[in-house]
């Protein structure tokens, strides 16, 4: 059974930091790219960042570039999202997802390319 379990969300003041984790089980984590998406209240889910299977390539949305960092530990089957300089507009439910294609050389921001999703963790940034 495939499971993606996010953790690390919470309430933080603007300018603060949080580190999200996504623990994966049930498939060969090290073969697949991973992504983080988020959905703010009343808005559609949007791409945040992604990382290739080996960690050699990453991609970020313009809204988080320079503030967020994605990383992965294939030995621990876990992907991380370090979020710094948080803004109230970062408030959202954050989801991790697994790329459907094994060993893809590039990461993707297309939701349709992700086959497994976690339940999400809520991040609230107060002003």
């Amino acid at each position: 059974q495939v499971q993606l379990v996010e953790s690390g969300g919470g309430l933080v003041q603007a300018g603060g930091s949080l580190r999200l984790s996504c623990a994966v089980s049930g498939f060969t984590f090290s073969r697949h790219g991973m992504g983080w998406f988020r959905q703010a209240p009343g808005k559609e889910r949007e791409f945040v960042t992604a990382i290739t299977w080996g960690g050699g390539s990453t991609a970020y949305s313009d809204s988080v570039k320079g503030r967020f960092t994605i990383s992965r530990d294939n030995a621990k089957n876990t992907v991380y999202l370090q979020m710094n300089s948080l803004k109230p507009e970062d408030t959202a439910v954050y989801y991790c997802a697994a790329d459907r294609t094994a060993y893809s050389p590039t990461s993707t921001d297309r939701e349709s390319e992700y086959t497994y999703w976690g339940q999400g963790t809520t991040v609230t940034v107060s002003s």
Side-chain angles (χ1 to χ4, degrees):
Q1 180 181 359
V2 174
Q3 285 191 314
L4 285 74
V5 180
E6 301 97 336
S7 62
L11 174 64
V12 63
Q13 288 188 334
S17 298
L18 281 175
R19 188 195 197 201
L20 306 184
S21 300
C22 173
V24 174
S25 61
F27 71 96
T28 309
F29 175 79
S30 60
R31 297 178 182 178
H32 292 266
M34 297 294 296
W36 286 95
F37 291 76
R38 68 185 181 186
Q39 186 167 20
K43 295 186 178 181
E44 293 187 352
R45 190 159 57 187
E46 64 175 359
F47 170 78
V48 176
T49 181
I51 188 168
T52 49
W53 60 275
S57 178
T58 57
Y60 296 89
S61 67
D62 288 342
S63 61
V64 307
K65 197 172 294 182
R67 300 187 298 121
F68 290 11
T69 302
I70 189 172
S71 62
R72 66 188 296 159
D73 186 337
N74 285 349
K76 295 183 178 179
N77 285 3
T78 301
V79 61
Y80 304 97
L81 179 61
Q82 178 66 44
M83 304 186 295
N84 298 330
S85 302
L86 282 161
K87 305 174 181 180
E89 50 263 45
D90 295 318
T91 294
V93 178
Y94 284 73
Y95 301 90
C96 67
D99 188 341
R100 67 174 64 250
T101 304
Y103 299 122
S104 176
T106 58
S107 56
T108 177
D109 60 359
R110 298 173 59 185
E111 284 194 39
S112 59
E113 294 301 311
Y114 290 86
T115 187
Y116 298 122
W117 292 80
Q119 293 299 306
T121 186
T122 300
V123 172
T124 304
V125 184
S126 63
S127 56

